[in-house]
Amino acid sequence: MNDPRISELLRSGRAGDRVTVRGWVRTKRDAKNVCFFEINDGSCLANLQAVIGKDEATNRIRIDGISTGASVEATGRLAESPGRNQRIELRVDELTVPGDAPPDRYPLQKKRHSFEYLREIAHLRPRTNTIGAVMRVRNSMSYAVHRYFQERGFLHVHTPIISTTDAEGAGEMFQVTTLPIEGLDPANGVDYADDFFGKRASLTVSGQLEAEVYALAFRNVYTFGPTFRAENSNTSRHLAEFWMIEPEMAFCDIHCDMDVAEEFLKYLLDRLLADCAEDMEFFDRWIEKGIVENLRRVAEADFARISYTEAIDRLRAATVSFDYPVEWGADLQSEHEKYLTEHVYGGPVIVTDYPKRIKAFYMKQNDDGETVRAMDMLVPRLGEIIGGSEREDDHDKLLRRIEELGLNAEEYWWYLELRAFGSAPHSGFGLGFERLIQYVTGMQNIRDVIPFPRAVHTAEF
Ligand code: 4AD
Ligand code: MG
């Protein structure tokens, strides 16, 4: 447990130090008198070069087990490396190979594999440079999320994963049941009294409604958990299981909501650039050229803020043609979102005051009777990364909206009651964690930024 990690050795290991390194072989190269191999232990992108003299090898150390993918425990002294690519290397004099990886069968050879292929071997892909870098960035961003909120006195709430309320009212829930599905005849109706919870239950689509409960006691709270959507969207930005960060703030209107969202994203970018420099250089070189400079600029810019109506005007004035029509009342498609961010504003844009018809029931209604105090943050290359709003805090207006939309008001009784006792203006938003990781790494497909992707017809492992 306490042996030094490769990231540490590459940074501060000194020639002459005797160390044991444990990890996996990335490559092996035989020269006349020596065998070189590169060890990676996941702590950083770079490998540690290990060297074994062949006389040593033939005499005492079995080197035939060393091949790409094998696990090794290598002991020796660090030495200054004569090679150009590294400062130090490990001169090995003791070696064990706990698990070999026969080259004729190990699926990850030195060549570059396609991301599609790597998805089929999600149990081995964390050993590649790209997925390794993605997962380190993911880890850093997760930590930064908690830091941001904890430094500001937000309470972390663990909202439930099994829920009996549809938080978005969109009916895109995976049902949770212990009823024997094979024997059910839906035509006869299902009696949920016999089900595990005594009522219909599902996997949550959002922790927002429960976060609201806590915001109306603790003022500022956040939840960061898995959410599930049974939407049939087979795209590069949709998952059926994804992680979402949802802050909820009492006595905060939509302007305050936007300020927090913008400050939060910039904070995450600052941390990313400071804490993940090596991995970000990798993405800049191999995945999305110029991304580091681009994110640096975003971290310093003021985000544009426009209304939905202005967005529609901008899109109508566009000289390019879109696949989906642009008309007031229709939802923005990802091509529209990309056009606004990439061509009109050249950076993130926050769009507010959407038509109520295309937004969730809980959003605060504007006086015009047509729009709601929604705010979506759109970013270049990706489109929507954050969705949020001020919440309807008027009991009767909320109840009317729930009924108008044909939702079952009884299901929302406790949510409505928050508006009957100590209601207060409040707002929040949801940041899709995988969308964030896609945005900051430049990865094209959302399935490559989560360890085990679940999407339509995809749930291996
Ligand atoms: O816009 P959404 O649906 O908003 C909510 O769920 C609110 N309850 C949030 C809130 O106000 N507390 O989702 C929020 C974000 C989106 O902007 C997007 O980044 C991400 O969640 N998201 C998805 N990410 C991956 N796959 C999906 N299927 C996603 N659906 C939404
Ligand atoms: Mg949304």
Side-chain angles (χ1 to χ4, degrees):
M1 261 310 279
N2 290 326
D3 45 86
R5 300 296 300 270
I6 287 174
S7 57
E8 223 175 296
L9 294 177
L10 291 177
R11 205 172 39 238
S12 50
R14 285 168 315 185
D17 287 355
R18 189 169 174 80
V19 295
T20 297
V21 172
R22 298 179 168 87
W24 292 265
V25 175
R26 280 297 174 83
T27 56
K28 178 192 173 190
R29 184 163 53 88
D30 281 305
K32 201 158 151 236
N33 299 316
V34 288
C35 159
F36 293 103
F37 59 105
E38 305 254 328
I39 309 174
N40 189 284
D41 69 356
S43 59
C44 61
L45 186 70
N47 304 322
L48 178 67
Q49 172 160 290
V51 191
I52 298 180
K54 286 228 170 129
D55 47 346
E56 184 111 53
T58 42
N59 295 340
R60 296 190 307 110
I61 301 179
R62 227 191 95 229
I63 60 166
D64 49 346
I66 306 175
S67 65
T68 300
S71 62
V72 289
E73 298 184 64
T75 301
R77 281 194 196 286
L78 295 178
E80 273 167 31
S81 174
R84 279 183 300 124
N85 298 328
Q86 61 274 322
R87 185 177 64 82
I88 50 159
E89 61 187 25
L90 180 67
R91 305 270 165 84
V92 179
D93 55 44
E94 281 176 47
L95 178 82
T96 50
V97 180
D100 60 5
D104 54 331
R105 288 193 291 123
Y106 185 59
L108 278 180
Q109 292 304 326
K110 201 181 158 191
K111 71 181 189 112
R112 271 182 96 182
H113 299 286
S114 74
F115 292 128
E116 289 78 7
Y117 171 70
L118 292 179
R119 261 171 243 148
E120 291 169 15
I121 48 167
H123 58 306
L124 297 172
R125 70 177 185 165
R127 301 184 198 173
T128 62
N129 283 339
T130 309
I131 302 300
V134 164
M135 295 307 155
R136 276 185 300 273
V137 165
R138 205 180 145 100
N139 174 66
S140 280
M141 290 293 88
S142 168
Y143 182 47
V145 163
H146 288 291
R147 265 184 76 176
Y148 176 84
F149 291 116
Q150 293 296 327
E151 283 168 2
R152 285 159 186 76
F154 282 60
L155 185 92
H156 182 204
V157 190
H158 295 105
T159 50
I161 289 172
I162 296 174
S163 170
T164 54
T165 323
D166 183 349
E168 292 298 308
E172 289 170 338
M173 317 252 282
F174 290 101
Q175 211 174 326
V176 175
T177 180
T178 50
L179 292 173
I181 296 186
E182 271 82 17
L184 288 181
D185 179 4
N188 290 336
V190 177
D191 186 359
Y192 286 106
D194 296 336
D195 204 353
F196 188 90
F197 298 105
K199 51 160 72 173
R200 195 186 159 105
S202 304
L203 295 177
T204 189
V205 293
S206 155
Q208 177 196 323
L209 306 195
E210 292 90 349
E212 283 184 55
V213 171
Y214 273 72
L216 290 168
F218 294 88
R219 281 201 60 178
N220 297 331
V221 304
Y222 69 106
T223 169
F224 182 178
T227 49
F228 307 86
R229 298 208 179 166
E231 56 187 330
N232 196 358
S233 300
N234 199 352
T235 78
S236 61
R237 19 173 255 156
H238 286 91
L239 289 166
E241 176 179 303
F242 63 98
W243 289 67
M244 189 161 36
I245 298 123
E246 296 182 277
E248 192 68 33
M249 297 155 291
F251 305 101
C252 173
D253 67 7
I254 188 171
H255 302 287
C256 149
D257 201 28
M258 287 191 277
D259 290 345
V260 174
E262 182 171 336
E263 186 193 64
F264 176 47
L265 188 73
K266 289 176 176 174
Y267 176 94
L268 295 178
L269 294 181
D270 283 341
R271 292 261 44 105
L272 173 84
L273 297 170
D275 300 342
C276 306
E278 185 194 28
D279 289 321
M280 286 311 297
E281 248 170 65
F282 172 86
F283 291 117
D284 201 300
R285 174 148 186 222
W286 298 104
I287 304 292
E288 177 75 32
K289 296 239 178 322
I291 193 167
V292 169
E293 191 41 42
N294 180 270
L295 296 176
R296 207 185 300 284
R297 263 187 283 120
V298 169
E300 282 158 13
D302 284 331
F303 295 2
R305 295 184 185 188
I306 59 169
S307 70
Y308 168 87
T309 304
E310 271 173 82
I312 293 294
D313 290 344
R314 289 287 189 165
L315 292 168
R316 281 178 169 255
T319 45
V320 300
S321 63
F322 296 112
D323 293 339
Y324 290 86
V326 176
E327 54 196 52
W328 201 97
D331 210 354
L332 298 183
Q333 299 295 324
S334 99
E335 55 173 350
H336 305 139
E337 296 172 341
K338 284 186 195 162
Y339 180 83
L340 288 170
T341 51
E342 290 168 14
H343 299 286
V344 183
Y345 295 99
V349 182
I350 305 180
V351 182
T352 57
D353 302 292
Y354 283 77
K356 68 175 179 189
R357 223 174 40 76
I358 55 173
K359 288 293 183 188
F361 68 92
Y362 51 70
M363 296 192 180
K364 188 173 176 72
Q365 297 166 42
N366 281 320
D367 293 338
D368 62 14
E370 287 292 330
T371 59
V372 285
R373 277 183 212 169
M375 67 101 180
D376 279 5
M377 185 188 291
L378 318 178
V379 293
R381 291 185 271 111
L382 196 69
E384 180 188 339
I385 193 167
I386 284 178
S389 76
E390 189 168 338
R391 320 304 188 191
E392 184 56 79
D393 51 22
D394 180 292
H395 177 278
D396 295 348
K397 280 190 186 162
L398 180 61
L399 177 60
R400 237 175 292 131
R401 191 68 190 134
I402 286 174
E403 286 171 343
E404 253 168 40
L405 288 167
L407 299 169
N408 177 5
E410 270 167 39
E411 192 183 298
Y412 297 95
W413 70 272
W414 53 272
Y415 189 69
L416 282 157
E417 205 158 270
L418 293 176
R419 278 76 179 161
F421 306 124
S423 186
H426 61 289
S427 302
F429 62 83
L431 168 67
F433 191 53
E434 286 72 25
R435 295 256 178 107
L436 170 76
I437 305 303
Q438 257 192 298
Y439 175 56
V440 302
T441 59
M443 293 295 287
Q444 294 283 325
N445 197 306
I446 198 165
R447 297 172 197 210
D448 300 326
V449 300
I450 187 166
F452 301 99
R454 274 88 180 86
V456 189
H457 291 295
T458 305
E460 192 71 38
F461 307 94

